[in-house]
Amino acid sequence: MSTQSFELVMTSGPTPEKKFTLSKQEIIIGRDANADVVINIAEVSRRHTRMRLEPSGYVIEDLGSTNGTFVNGQRLTAPHMLRPGERIQLGEAVTLAYQVAAFDMDATVVTPSSGFDTVAAGQAPMAPPAAAAPPPRPVQPRQPPPVQPAYSGHVPPGPAAPVVAPMEEKEGRPWLWAGLGCIGVIICLVVVGAVAFDVLDLYCAPPFNSLLSFLYSCP
């Protein structure tokens, strides 16, 4: 008789991820409420498939279902010895994965090779005794810092004098001189014009006589 336990996991169907533990010698899968694995959808027959435990695992066979039983996509026409990892399909609506049941954490675990006692269900294994801590290392006394030799016959150089960059010529000074030159030229032109105007006696000459009549009257 096989010492392994097996289970079916629904990968597609009405209850995905649901697990069915296989613990009986004969298991009926179908829509009937009295079936061992009940899958209540219309595409599954009342007694759809039978699984029978053999020394090396379960043998599956179709029970004349309407929509058929498939293993890895092949429709069953005779009993088939299941291998872990194979897919069982009931029609096109339900897919079950046949696999070895997961390890039960509540089961008793015996580890003689580790040298520990048997672990009871639900208890954590005892940890090995901790190794003895090494003795503390002796603390070395702190050494005083070395004495720097005194300067003899000379004074240590002081910090270098900061280098002062020459002041840059202010921006815009050429424009200032150009503006002053223009103003000087204009003043010279005005003075020269006034002198010429007076020397030539243009006060009463047209058109100045009419332009400047509000200042004086010509004879």
Side-chain angles (χ1 to χ4, degrees):
M1 187 67 65
S2 174
T3 58
Q4 291 181 320
S5 58
F6 300 92
E7 64 183 5
L8 297 176
V9 180
M10 184 177 293
T11 57
S12 65
T15 54
E17 304 300 328
K18 185 175 181 179
K19 294 183 179 181
F20 304 93
T21 302
L22 307 180
S23 58
K24 297 176 62 176
Q25 188 74 23
E26 183 177 281
I27 296 172
I28 302 298
I29 304 174
R31 194 176 75 249
D32 196 318
N34 294 323
D36 300 296
V37 177
V38 179
I39 303 176
N40 190 16
I41 60 174
E43 193 165 344
V44 176
S45 300
R46 289 183 175 276
R47 292 171 58 87
H48 197 106
T49 304
R50 176 169 55 196
M51 297 178 66
R52 186 177 67 256
L53 183 62
E54 298 290 343
S56 57
Y58 278 92
V59 174
I60 187 171
E61 60 180 323
D62 185 71
L63 297 178
S65 63
T66 302
N67 296 306
T69 302
F70 301 79
V71 176
N72 295 335
Q74 300 294 323
R75 185 162 186 164
L76 293 181
T77 57
H80 171 78
M81 173 62 69
L82 287 170
R83 294 186 298 273
E86 290 188 318
R87 293 179 295 105
I88 302 170
Q89 294 172 264
L90 308 180
E92 297 181 355
V94 178
T95 302
L96 302 168
Y98 175 75
Q99 61 188 33
V100 177
F103 176 73
D104 187 0
M105 294 299 296
D106 293 332
T108 301
V109 180
V110 181
T111 56
S113 60
S114 63
F116 302 140
D117 296 335
T118 300
V119 181
Q123 293 182 350
M126 294 179 60
R137 297 179 59 184
V139 179
Q140 297 293 336
R142 295 185 59 183
Q143 298 294 333
V147 179
Q148 298 294 334
Y151 294 101
S152 58
H154 68 277
V155 179
V163 178
V164 180
M167 296 182 61
E168 297 181 357
E169 187 177 1
K170 295 183 179 180
E171 296 182 359
R173 182 166 294 180
W175 296 103
L176 176 61
W177 292 114
L180 293 175
C182 292
I183 294 173
V185 172
I186 293 172
I187 294 173
C188 291
L189 292 176
V190 170
V191 172
V192 172
V195 171
F197 188 85
D198 187 65
V199 170
L200 298 176
D201 193 17
L202 299 176
Y203 296 103
C204 293
F208 301 107
N209 56 348
S210 60
L211 293 175
L212 303 176
S213 59
F214 65 94
L215 295 176
Y216 57 85
S217 60
C218 293

